[in-house]
């Protein structure tokens, strides 16, 4: 019934005219409306002929514009290529990216994933399956240890990794290192016989770029071994390989940027142990090793027992690119003995760990002083409000909950529905149908979308798949698929109650628990009750709801109107809050991560001329008063003025604003900082005036709520002078007298989110134990007067990813200037 006069005019010119219109049953009418709205969006676009057709007159302005565009398009036909725009071909040799070495971060380009819509990539995928099935059947890989530059085989217990898709099939056999092996590896790493730590940052970066190229060239091999050992379908391991490449490229740039600073000297911390998980066996070990090496450390890689061979091939890429086998050693050790010895060894400076929250806390219990950078568990939720696109929400929920059989720390295992959505029978039916239609099977089958669990479910995974609690019912009952005890279909529990095991326990399997909330705030409260804070999602088209949620929810990675998994280097740096992270909270794949693996000292050029133009008036007044009262020497006051100015400048340029490096069309990728909510600055009798005031000025510059903690019955003239300096300062800072036991208790009960010391040797054991009990981070690096470094101790990073388009429609943001589409 639309545009009949145009149809008649066209029919006079040709009898070959096809008319089409959507048709549907009454119960699917809402989908026809959605189709109609999308067509109306297209037809009313400013360049669409139909927008003008109903009021068009000959030689009018619209007529002339349309005529000009039509003639111009005809003229462009001769130069229009008919070649495919998609030219990617994984069958050909991988080439390094153009541009190369030291491009700045804004020019950093993420490694592209494989475009599986191209037919030849289906053939490429099939060739991977065929090659690795032949390679694994009866031909287990043999994986040695690499200690002090040499491969070690024999006279040790042998372990094996198994194929989750084919229980009992051995993929690899590997040497199990002893405590003695661990000690020898640590001694070699500490000695650094090949001088890796002394190499210039540029040289280390060049080698890491060569590692990235090795990974590109061995993409198929790494995807094949991850399929065999971890049961990862190829569409899941392919983006993981891209992420591994990005880690090498980006951390190389990060370390070079820090090395180029004139105001601070950066060097590695020493020996770093990297202990990755099995569920991301390519990207996570690669990222930890690359960051540590880029920062100038020697590294010991202890792979997960389920994926030793995958980690071995990753390590081979580093060695082939020029990393010495003394700078990167490969030691699989028994978790109960050797691995614990490695993680708690006194000569290991830092441990990068990804895995269960309980394991991280076990390590801290063993060694409370352990410098642990840990990404731990997640009980992640997607909230769906009444203002959402419910069909689109279902698509994102299914992908987030059941990708890699739910075996991701970022997987959405909770679905919190606003009451109207919860009571919508059509929504529940569509959600259940989408989950039930996912194909579950062997990772060797290219039609599989949900592959096997890493092992037969026991403990929490079994509880999630087999048991119901009070109030719960199966909306979709999971079941074992075929004879493989590791293959399970997705399950959806309806009626999950707040505080239940399903609400608060990380099952790490294909189980989704559904809760009801009366409004958005109640839903956010349910998210926070889990204690975790890794990823969190919101499905809502209401800008007000989005703004409110983004301001309230406590999680490291926030996603709006998209899935909650699949963070990308620099675009969405990854890492959590609460029980989902232990350590300084600097995000992997972000511009600050390598700083956690470095030590910093001010140079003689710190406080260069001109920086004082950003010095705050109130800070200047305070320092002047302290100098006049002889609480500060002139030299100390001047150093602090430059430090305060540097802090203010770093806040203006980095920490006090948001960053979207890529500005993609249709998607915001925002990196931002949040101040530590309750910062405690612990004063020690040996602290110098700079040590004290630099920490205070850093906390003030990002608006932390601060408490200055001093031992009782102690005399600190500088603190007294600070207290009396100005009323404004006394009002914004709490002064607390407490002994070590009281400070430890304040940490345990959550009165201090972070305690800032001036040096690691000034932290009493009782405080270390208290922090270890709850996973609190103690910032103990000596203060520096460089804002880009010092302010990292008083903030937390957060990543926001927001799809602002809807089915490609950009809405009111269509005219924004964004990055060009390749």
């Amino acid at each position: 019934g639309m545009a009949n006069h145009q149809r008649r005019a066209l029919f006079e010119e040709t009898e070959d005219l096809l008319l089409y219109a959507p048709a549907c049953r009454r119960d699917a009418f809402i989908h026809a409306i959605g189709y109609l709205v999308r067509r109306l969006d297209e037809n009313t676009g400013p360049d669409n002929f139909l927008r003008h057709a109903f009021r068009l007159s000959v030689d009018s302005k619209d007529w002339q514009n349309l005529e000009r565009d039509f003639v111009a398009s005809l003229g462009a036909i001769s130069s229009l290529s008919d070649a495919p725009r998609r030219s990617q071909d994984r069958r050909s040799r991988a080439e390094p990216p153009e541009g190369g070495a030291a491009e700045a971060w804004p020019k950093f380009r993420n490694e592209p994933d494989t475009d599986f819509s191209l037919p030849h990539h289906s053939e490429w995928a099939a060739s991977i399956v065929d090659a690795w099935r032949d390679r694994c059947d009866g031909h287990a890989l043999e994986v040695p240890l690499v200690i002090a530059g040499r491969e070690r085989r024999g006279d040790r217990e042998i372990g094996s990794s198994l194929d989750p898709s084919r229980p009992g099939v051995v993929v690899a056999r590997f040497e199990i290192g002893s405590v003695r092996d661990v000690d020898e590896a640590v001694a070699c790493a500490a000695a650094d016989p090949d001088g890796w730590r002394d190499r210039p940052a540029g040289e280390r970066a060049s080698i890491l770029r060569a590692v990235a190229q090795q990974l590109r060239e061995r993409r198929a091999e790494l995807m094949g071994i991850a399929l065999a050992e971890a049961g990862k379908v190829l569409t899941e391991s392919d983006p993981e390989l891209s992420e591994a490449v990005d880690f090498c490229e980006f951390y190389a740039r990060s370390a070079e940027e820090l090395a180029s600073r004139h105001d601070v000297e950066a060097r590695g911390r020493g020996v770093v142990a990297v202990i990755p998980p099995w569920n991301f066996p390519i990207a996570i070990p690669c990222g930890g090793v690359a960051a540590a090496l880029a920062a100038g450390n020697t590294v010991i890689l202890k792979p997960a027992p389920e994926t030793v061979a995958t980690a071995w091939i990753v390590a081979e890429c580093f060695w082939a690119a020029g990393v010495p086998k003394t700078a990167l050693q490969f030691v699989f050790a028994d978790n109960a003995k050797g691995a614990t010895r490695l993680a708690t060894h006194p000569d290991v400076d830092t441990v990068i760990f990804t895995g269960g929250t309980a394991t991280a806390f076990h390590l801290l219990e063993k060694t409370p002083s352990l410098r642990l950078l840990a990404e731990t568990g997640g009980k992640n939720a997607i909230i769906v409000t009444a203002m959402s696109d419910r069909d689109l929400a279902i698509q994102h929920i299914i992908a987030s909950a059941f990708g890699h059989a739910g075996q991701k720390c970022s997987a959405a295992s909770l679905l919190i529905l606003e009451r109207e959505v919860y009571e919508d029978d059509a929504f529940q039916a569509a959600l259940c149908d989408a989950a039930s239609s996912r194909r579950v099977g062997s990772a060797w089958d290219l039609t599989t979308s949900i592959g096997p669990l890493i092992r037969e479910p026991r403990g929490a995974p079994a509880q999630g798949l087999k048991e119901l609690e009070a109030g719960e019912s199966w909306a979709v009952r999971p079941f074992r698929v075929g004879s493989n005890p590791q293959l399970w279909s997705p399950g959806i529990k309806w009626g999950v109650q707040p505080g239940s095991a399903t609400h608060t326990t990380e099952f790490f399997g294909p189980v989704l628990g559904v809760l009801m909330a009366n409004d958005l705030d109640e839903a956010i409260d349910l998210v926070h009750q889990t204690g975790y804070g890794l990823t969190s999602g919101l499905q809502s088209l209401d800008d007000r709801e989005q703004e409110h949620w983004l301001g309230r929810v406590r999680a490291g990675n926030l996603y709006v109107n998209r899935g909650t998994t699949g963070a990308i280097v620099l675009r969405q740096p990854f890492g959590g809050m609460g029980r989902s992270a232990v350590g300084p909270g600097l995000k992997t794949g972000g511009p600050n991560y390598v700083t956690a693996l470095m030590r910093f000292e001010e140079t003689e050029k710190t406080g260069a001329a001109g920086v004082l133009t950003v010095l705050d008036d109130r800070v200047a007044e305070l320092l002047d008063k302290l100098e006049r009262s002889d609480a500060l020497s002139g030299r100390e006051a001047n150093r602090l003025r430059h430090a305060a100015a540097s802090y203010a400048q770093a806040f203006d340029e980095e920490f006090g604003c948001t960053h979207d490096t890529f500005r993609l069309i249709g998607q915001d990728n925002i990196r931002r900082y949040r101040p530590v909510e309750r910062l405690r600055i612990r004063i020690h009798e040996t602290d110098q005036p700079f040590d004290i005031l630099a920490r205070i000025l850093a906390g003030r510059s990002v608006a932390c709520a601060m408490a200055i903690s001093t031992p009782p019955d102690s005399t600190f003239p500088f603190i007294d002078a600070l207290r009396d300096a100005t009323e404004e300062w006394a009002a914004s800072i709490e002064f607390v007298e407490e002994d070590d036991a009281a400070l430890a208790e304040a940490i345990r009960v959550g009165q201090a989110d972070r305690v800032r010391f001036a040096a690691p040797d000034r932290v009493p054991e009782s405080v270390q134990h208290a922090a270890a009990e709850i996973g609190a981070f103690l910032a103990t690096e000596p203060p520096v007067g460089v804002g880009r470094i010092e302010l990292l101790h008083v903030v937390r990073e957060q990543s926001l990813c927001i799809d602002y388009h809807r089915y490609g429609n950009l809405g009111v943001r269509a005219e924004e200037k964004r990055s060009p589409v390749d």
Side-chain angles (χ1 to χ4, degrees):
M2 291 180 61
N4 278 326
H5 56 296
Q6 296 171 28
R7 175 186 59 78
R8 288 193 296 269
L10 288 170
F11 193 69
E12 290 175 1
E13 299 296 325
T14 177
E15 295 183 358
D16 186 12
L17 184 65
L18 176 66
L19 296 177
Y20 73 97
C24 66
R25 297 187 302 272
R26 181 180 296 274
D27 59 4
F29 183 66
I30 186 64
H31 303 297
I33 292 296
Y35 172 88
L36 176 61
V37 169
R38 291 195 290 276
R39 298 292 78 76
L40 289 173
D41 281 341
E42 294 172 0
N43 295 341
T44 56
D47 297 324
N48 194 296
F49 169 75
L50 289 177
R51 174 171 178 161
H52 309 277
F54 295 97
R55 61 178 185 277
L56 194 63
S57 59
V58 177
D59 284 334
S60 66
K61 183 178 180 180
D62 285 345
W63 176 284
Q64 293 171 358
N65 289 337
L66 290 168
E67 180 184 34
R68 182 189 65 245
D69 291 345
F70 180 70
V71 171
S73 67
L74 289 177
I77 289 177
S78 60
S79 61
L80 184 67
S81 172
D82 60 357
R85 293 183 63 185
R86 300 182 177 185
S87 58
Q88 185 189 65
D89 191 345
R90 294 296 190 205
R91 300 169 301 178
S92 59
R93 183 181 182 278
E95 297 294 334
E98 297 180 2
E103 293 183 350
W105 291 337
K107 295 182 180 179
F108 171 80
R109 296 171 65 89
N110 293 110
E111 187 73 8
D113 297 338
T114 299
D115 184 352
F116 282 106
S117 68
L118 297 172
H120 55 263
H121 284 158
S122 295
E123 300 170 6
W124 175 73
S127 71
I128 295 173
V129 170
D130 292 341
W132 275 92
R133 183 183 284 115
D134 292 342
R135 188 169 175 179
C136 290
D137 287 351
H139 301 87
L141 281 72
E142 303 292 336
V143 180
L145 306 176
V146 172
I147 299 174
R150 295 189 297 111
E151 293 187 3
R152 307 291 181 90
R153 303 175 189 269
D155 299 327
R156 291 176 182 83
E157 184 182 351
I158 300 297
S160 59
S161 59
L162 304 177
D163 183 347
S165 297
R166 301 179 296 174
V169 174
V170 176
V171 177
R173 293 186 176 88
F174 49 84
E175 305 275 332
I176 300 178
S178 64
V179 170
R180 181 181 297 178
D181 290 322
V182 169
D183 288 342
E184 184 180 352
V186 173
C188 173
D192 188 18
D194 283 293
W196 178 262
R197 293 197 289 266
D198 294 329
R199 299 191 189 193
E203 182 180 341
R204 298 194 303 264
S206 179
I207 292 174
L208 287 176
R209 293 189 184 97
V211 176
Q213 183 57 22
Q214 285 285 323
L215 293 166
R216 292 185 185 98
E217 294 174 4
R218 300 180 74 168
R219 176 182 286 264
E221 184 179 5
L222 281 160
M223 290 170 61
I225 187 62
L227 182 156
E229 271 197 319
K232 297 202 81 163
V233 298
L234 296 183
T235 51
E236 291 270 0
S237 60
D238 182 76
E240 188 181 342
L241 199 290
S242 300
E243 185 179 27
V245 172
D246 287 344
F247 278 140
C248 293
E249 294 277 2
F250 183 70
Y251 289 148
R253 287 167 166 79
S254 299
E256 285 181 310
E257 190 272 342
L258 289 166
S260 69
R261 295 188 66 92
H262 72 277
D263 52 2
V264 71
E265 180 182 344
R267 66 181 189 278
R269 301 192 66 88
V271 179
V272 175
V274 177
I275 305 177
W278 54 263
N279 59 332
F280 286 90
I282 302 168
I284 291 181
C286 184
V289 170
L293 291 174
N297 302 281
T298 50
V299 181
I300 300 170
L301 172 60
K302 200 294 292 184
E306 298 85 354
T307 52
V308 172
T310 308
W312 170 259
I313 296 176
V314 170
E316 283 186 326
C317 292
F318 282 87
W319 296 322
V323 176
K325 288 186 176 181
T326 56
L328 171 60
Q329 299 175 84
F330 186 92
V331 182
F332 175 76
D334 174 73
N335 287 339
K337 297 178 182 178
T340 301
R341 173 63 175 170
L342 175 63
T344 59
H345 197 290
D347 292 331
V348 171
D349 296 273
T350 302
V351 175
I352 299 175
F353 170 76
T354 305
T357 303
T359 303
F361 276 79
H362 170 73
L363 294 176
L364 290 173
E365 181 184 3
K366 289 280 187 181
T367 309
S369 61
L370 177 64
R371 194 167 190 281
L372 181 63
L373 311 184
E375 178 205 302
T376 53
K379 189 66 180 177
N380 313 295
I382 293 178
I383 297 172
V384 182
T385 76
M387 296 296 291
S388 64
D389 180 328
R390 299 181 192 186
D391 290 334
L392 196 60
I394 289 171
Q395 175 186 334
H396 295 147
I397 292 162
I398 297 299
S400 301
F402 303 125
H404 196 23
Q407 299 174 117
K408 297 180 180 181
C409 55
S410 58
S413 56
L414 287 178
L415 176 59
I416 304 175
L417 305 178
E418 194 172 6
R419 179 181 291 275
E420 179 182 318
V421 185
Y422 187 87
E423 295 175 347
D424 181 353
D425 293 339
F427 176 87
Q428 180 178 354
L431 175 70
C432 296
D433 180 67
S436 301
S437 65
R438 299 280 282 186
R439 183 178 176 85
V440 181
S442 165
W444 298 97
D445 183 347
L446 291 176
T447 66
T448 292
S449 60
I450 298 179
L453 299 173
I454 196 67
R455 62 182 64 86
E456 183 177 354
R458 296 185 181 90
Q463 179 185 2
L465 286 164
K466 300 177 182 180
E467 298 177 12
L468 291 175
E469 298 175 81
E472 296 178 353
S473 61
W474 288 116
V476 176
R477 182 187 293 272
F479 57 89
R480 197 176 84 174
V481 177
S483 60
N484 185 347
Q486 295 168 237
L487 277 179
W488 282 80
S489 67
I492 298 179
K493 293 182 176 182
W494 209 265
V496 173
Q497 300 301 302
S500 64
T502 304
H503 178 202
T504 59
T505 302
E506 184 183 28
F507 290 140
F508 223 66
V511 183
L512 178 67
V514 184
L515 295 84
M516 188 196 74
N518 289 303
D519 54 36
L520 180 56
D521 276 314
E522 183 179 339
I524 295 172
D525 291 339
L526 290 170
V527 172
H528 292 162
Q529 285 173 25
T530 68
Y532 292 96
L534 189 53
T535 67
S536 202
L538 175 70
Q539 297 289 321
S540 172
L541 302 177
D542 189 312
D543 293 342
R544 297 163 300 177
E545 288 187 337
Q546 293 179 19
E547 182 178 0
H548 182 69
W549 180 80
L550 290 168
R552 266 209 67 195
V553 74
R554 293 191 300 273
N557 284 62
L558 309 183
Y559 299 95
V560 177
N561 292 329
R562 55 146 292 168
T564 64
T565 62
I568 299 173
V569 172
L570 187 57
R571 192 188 302 181
Q572 301 137 20
F574 191 72
M577 299 178 179
R579 297 180 64 214
S580 293
V582 176
L586 302 178
K587 287 177 167 289
T588 59
N592 302 310
Y593 188 70
V594 294
T595 66
L597 301 164
M598 289 179 159
R599 302 182 194 272
F600 297 93
E601 291 183 5
E602 294 179 33
T603 68
E604 294 181 358
K605 295 181 180 180
T606 301
V611 74
L612 288 176
T613 56
V614 294
L615 183 61
D616 179 87
D617 290 341
R618 290 183 176 179
V619 173
E621 178 187 356
L622 170 68
L623 295 176
D624 288 345
K625 284 188 176 182
L626 292 174
E627 185 178 5
R628 288 195 300 270
S629 67
D630 293 328
L632 286 175
S633 68
R635 187 171 180 273
E636 289 170 329
N638 194 50
R639 184 185 177 196
L640 283 163
R641 288 187 185 96
H642 283 289
S646 177
Y647 299 164
Q649 184 176 30
F651 181 81
D652 290 342
E653 295 176 357
E654 176 69 21
F655 299 99
C657 50
T658 60
H659 308 269
D660 187 346
T661 303
F662 294 91
R663 291 188 60 78
L664 301 178
I665 294 177
Q667 186 180 83
D668 293 322
N669 290 282
I670 297 169
R671 179 170 53 84
R672 70 181 184 185
Y673 300 88
R674 287 289 181 260
V676 172
E677 293 180 6
R678 293 179 293 271
L679 177 69
R680 228 173 186 84
I681 296 173
R682 181 62 167 176
I683 308 302
H684 189 270
E685 59 184 9
T686 61
D687 288 351
Q688 298 300 305
F690 179 85
D691 297 333
I692 296 171
L693 198 52
R695 288 177 285 162
I696 296 171
L697 292 174
R700 182 184 185 275
S701 67
V702 300
C704 288
M706 285 185 292
I708 299 179
S709 169
T710 57
D713 302 323
S714 58
T715 302
F716 293 96
F718 183 74
I719 295 296
D720 296 336
L722 176 63
R723 192 198 308 264
D724 298 336
T726 66
E727 292 183 2
E728 185 269 337
W729 279 76
S732 62
I733 299 175
E734 180 183 4
F735 294 87
V736 179
E737 286 192 0
E738 57 190 354
D739 59 17
D740 292 342
L743 174 59
E745 184 61 20
I747 293 172
R748 286 191 186 95
V749 301
Q751 293 177 356
D753 296 314
R754 182 170 295 178
V755 182
R756 182 74 173 98
F757 291 86
D761 60 1
R762 299 171 195 175
V763 185
E765 288 188 12
S766 60
V767 172
Q768 290 177 343
H769 281 279
E773 287 176 22
I774 64 169
F777 177 62
L778 304 177
T780 64
E781 294 300 299
V784 294
V786 179
R788 179 67 182 82
I789 305 303
E790 184 59 33
L791 296 195
L792 292 172
H793 299 299
V794 294
V795 295
R796 290 189 172 101
E797 290 186 276
Q798 199 172 48
S799 296
L800 284 56
C801 184
I802 304 165
D803 279 3
Y804 67 81
H805 76 91
R806 189 178 178 209
Y807 304 108
N809 184 350
L810 301 176
V812 296
R813 299 181 61 180
E815 301 303 317
E816 282 186 12
K817 185 177 181 180
R818 309 291 287 190
S819 296
V821 178
D822 292 337

